[in-house]
Amino acid sequence: MAFLANLFGKKKKNQNDDDLTEVEEGLTEEEEAAAEAAEEALRNDNIPTEADVEEASETIEEEGEHLEKIEDEITLLEEQTAYLGEVCRGIMEGQTYLEEDPPAFFEEAAPADETGEKDSEVIEDAEPSLADSAPAEEEDTTTKKSFWGRLKSGLTKTRNAIFAPVDNLLKAFTKIDEDLFEELEEILITADVGMAATEEILDELRERVKDGRLKEKEQVMTALREIITGMIGETQPLKLETTPTVIMVIGVNGAGKTTSIGKISKRLRLRGKKVVVAAADTFRAAAIDQLAVWCERAQVEMVKQSEGSDPAAVVFDAIAAAKKKQADVLIIDTAGRLQNKKNLMNELAKMNRVIDRELPDACRENLLVLDATTGQNAVSQAKEFRNAADITGITLNKLDGTAKGGIVISIKRELGIPVKFIGVGEKIDDMQEFDAEDFVSALFGE
């Protein structure tokens, strides 16, 4: 017995292949009994039971399923990465689009109607994050404080373009006279306050000099603040009195329409409003995809069709979706229309007719998005767009990147259209409802 010999250090020899001889030196009965017992126990331990076999099988099956899931996830990530790489390369090369529709792994199912069919795709809103679940009023107050701090910093160029030269001008003059007013006129026009608004400001200053309210040159800055505040007028917020309220966003390409929609959508959602966005800019390459990204960031729903579809049809489907979901606000993106493109203006009028027919009693806001860096050209755009739509408010972007912040004064004075939103950056929180008092305070560095 090889085992016995190894166990007790005894030597053994075989009689043949089947039988073992007695060990040479012999084993005591106690040793032999102990060895047999040990060998039996070892044999039993090495033989798995039926339960052991079943448990092992289940474990192997579970591990196999887990590995399959991991392999599927890796494959999906590889496909998504490859697709996004193609999108980036396509954009860099100026391609209009890569595919008519994104791959299936980027598509989200839209709810079918009663017939089980769907024309437009509705991208459902994402689950709110922990940060977004904070009380809207508290978050809005914090965001506003941060925003106006950025606005004050962003208006540094405008402030330096207007009030630094005015301050230097006042130091150079010993009294208030026409020479001072002529120099002041040049400063205001340079900052894009506009000719009409500048003349009104100077006329008011002259009137104050005549009636004795303005005697010393040191009073000029205070008078300017009062006059500008009066010209800008009171803050006029969005009118959201019906369910849904329709907000149509228009403007030329490059002014920031898409980003403005995303920012406004988030602000409305944080106020407890259910928002649906219509991707009716179906002509510009990648416009729908860009809007989808911003809607995802804002966590609102988007209704879209394929590129090149009829914008009015998208609006029609978006209205149906807004009604079905009882949305509070329907925001409509439109193509970037140059004011001299008559056919595009006609398309805008066609969408308005759809809205009038489907939502005749809805509150309407037509927001014109302007780029503050374009100065008086922005005023010209507003005048032309006003011929195609009843503009109810202005969204003024890129105030942080220009010394032409005086455009706010010019727009209100020449067009009589209130500024309702202003933007000072590209992030989703870099937009705020316009507050006239806060704006003037930031403009004067207070």
Side-chain angles (χ1 to χ4, degrees), residues 99-165:
E99 298 179 359
E100 182 175 356
D101 294 304
F105 49 74
F106 281 117
E107 294 288 341
E108 296 187 40
D113 57 22
E114 294 180 357
T115 62
E117 300 177 352
K118 61 186 175 97
D119 294 324
S120 295
E121 183 174 356
V122 180
I123 299 180
E124 299 288 348
D125 54 319
E127 290 293 328
S129 65
L130 293 177
D132 292 330
S133 62
E137 182 176 354
E138 179 180 348
E139 180 168 345
D140 185 68
T141 301
T142 302
T143 302
K144 184 175 181 179
K145 290 180 180 179
S146 173
F147 175 84
W148 287 106
R150 295 196 301 275
L151 176 64
K152 184 176 178 180
S153 175
L155 287 177
T156 299
K157 293 181 180 179
T158 298
R159 192 160 52 247
N160 292 339
I162 298 179
F163 302 109

Side-chain angles (χ1 to χ4, degrees), residues 221 249 390 443:
M221 198 68 80
V249 182
D390 180 20
L443 191 61

Side-chain angles (χ1 to χ4, degrees), residues 1 11-13 20-27 32:
M1 295 175 12
K11 295 181 179 180
K12 65 186 176 80
K13 59 180 179 178
L20 296 174
T21 62
E22 294 289 333
V23 293
E24 290 180 349
E25 297 181 4
L27 297 174
E32 186 174 354

Side-chain angles (χ1 to χ4, degrees), residues 7-117:
L7 182 63
F8 291 97
K10 306 294 184 177
K11 295 181 179 180
K12 65 186 176 80
K13 59 180 179 178
N14 294 331
Q15 186 176 20
N16 51 47
D17 293 339
D18 298 324
D19 300 323
L20 296 174
T21 62
E22 294 289 333
V23 293
E24 290 180 349
E25 297 181 4
L27 297 174
T28 66
E29 293 182 0
E30 291 80 2
E31 290 176 337
E32 186 174 354
E36 290 179 352
E39 187 174 5
E40 181 67 22
L42 183 61
R43 183 183 298 110
N44 292 336
D45 287 341
N46 290 334
I47 299 175
T49 64
E50 184 177 350
D52 293 335
V53 174
E54 292 180 355
E55 182 178 356
S57 299
E58 292 177 358
T59 301
I60 293 172
E61 184 177 353
E62 291 175 358
E63 291 297 329
E65 293 177 354
H66 181 62
L67 290 174
E68 288 180 2
K69 290 181 179 179
I70 293 177
E71 291 175 355
D72 291 341
E73 291 176 358
I74 292 174
T75 301
L76 178 61
L77 289 174
E78 290 175 346
E79 292 176 351
Q80 291 177 339
T81 301
Y83 175 75
L84 291 175
E86 290 297 323
V87 170
C88 293
R89 282 190 291 272
I91 292 174
M92 293 176 65
E93 294 172 1
Q95 295 180 14
T96 57
Y97 60 88
L98 296 173
E99 298 179 359
E100 182 175 356
D101 294 304
F105 49 74
F106 281 117
E107 294 288 341
E108 296 187 40
D113 57 22
E114 294 180 357
T115 62
E117 300 177 352

Side-chain angles (χ1 to χ4, degrees), residues 36-298:
E36 290 179 352
E39 187 174 5
E40 181 67 22
L42 183 61
R43 183 183 298 110
N44 292 336
D45 287 341
N46 290 334
I47 299 175
T49 64
E50 184 177 350
D52 293 335
V53 174
E54 292 180 355
E55 182 178 356
S57 299
E58 292 177 358
T59 301
I60 293 172
E61 184 177 353
E62 291 175 358
E63 291 297 329
E65 293 177 354
H66 181 62
L67 290 174
E68 288 180 2
K69 290 181 179 179
I70 293 177
E71 291 175 355
D72 291 341
E73 291 176 358
I74 292 174
T75 301
L76 178 61
L77 289 174
E78 290 175 346
E79 292 176 351
Q80 291 177 339
T81 301
Y83 175 75
L84 291 175
E86 290 297 323
V87 170
C88 293
R89 282 190 291 272
I91 292 174
M92 293 176 65
E93 294 172 1
Q95 295 180 14
T96 57
Y97 60 88
L98 296 173
E99 298 179 359
E100 182 175 356
D101 294 304
F105 49 74
F106 281 117
E107 294 288 341
E108 296 187 40
D113 57 22
E114 294 180 357
T115 62
E117 300 177 352
K118 61 186 175 97
D119 294 324
S120 295
E121 183 174 356
V122 180
I123 299 180
E124 299 288 348
D125 54 319
E127 290 293 328
S129 65
L130 293 177
D132 292 330
S133 62
E137 182 176 354
E138 179 180 348
E139 180 168 345
D140 185 68
T141 301
T142 302
T143 302
K144 184 175 181 179
K145 290 180 180 179
S146 173
F147 175 84
W148 287 106
R150 295 196 301 275
L151 176 64
K152 184 176 178 180
S153 175
L155 287 177
T156 299
K157 293 181 180 179
T158 298
R159 192 160 52 247
N160 292 339
I162 298 179
F163 302 109
V166 169
D167 187 56
N168 293 331
L169 178 66
L170 295 176
K171 292 177 181 178
F173 279 79
T174 59
K175 62 179 181 178
I176 301 174
D177 56 16
E178 281 301 315
D179 290 336
L180 185 148
F181 286 149
E182 288 180 4
E183 294 287 343
L184 183 58
E185 179 181 26
E186 181 178 349
I187 292 172
L188 294 175
I189 291 176
T190 302
D192 265 323
V193 173
M195 180 62 72
T198 296
E199 290 179 354
E200 184 173 328
I201 291 172
L202 295 177
D203 288 343
E204 177 62 24
L205 288 175
R206 292 187 181 98
E207 189 65 28
R208 294 191 181 198
V209 171
K210 289 181 182 180
D211 62 19
R213 287 180 292 164
L214 184 59
K215 298 179 180 180
E216 306 293 336
K217 64 177 184 178
E218 290 77 10
Q219 297 175 312
V220 170
M221 198 68 80
T222 301
L224 274 175
R225 189 188 195 288
E226 294 174 354
I227 295 170
I228 290 174
T229 301
M231 293 180 68
I232 294 176
E234 297 181 357
T235 302
Q236 297 185 35
L238 290 176
K239 295 180 180 179
L240 306 173
E241 300 170 359
T242 61
T243 303
T245 291
V246 179
I247 300 176
M248 180 175 285
V249 182
I250 61 179
V252 299
N253 290 333
K257 286 190 297 87
T258 303
T259 57
S260 295
I261 290 173
K263 295 171 184 179
I264 294 171
S265 295
K266 181 178 179 181
R267 295 204 59 79
L268 291 173
R269 182 179 63 77
L270 291 178
R271 288 169 55 183
K273 303 294 184 181
K274 187 174 182 62
V275 180
V276 171
V277 175
D281 183 357
T282 60
F283 300 114
R284 183 171 63 89
I288 298 174
D289 293 335
Q290 290 175 7
L291 184 61
V293 171
W294 279 98
C295 287
E296 182 178 356
R297 292 175 183 174

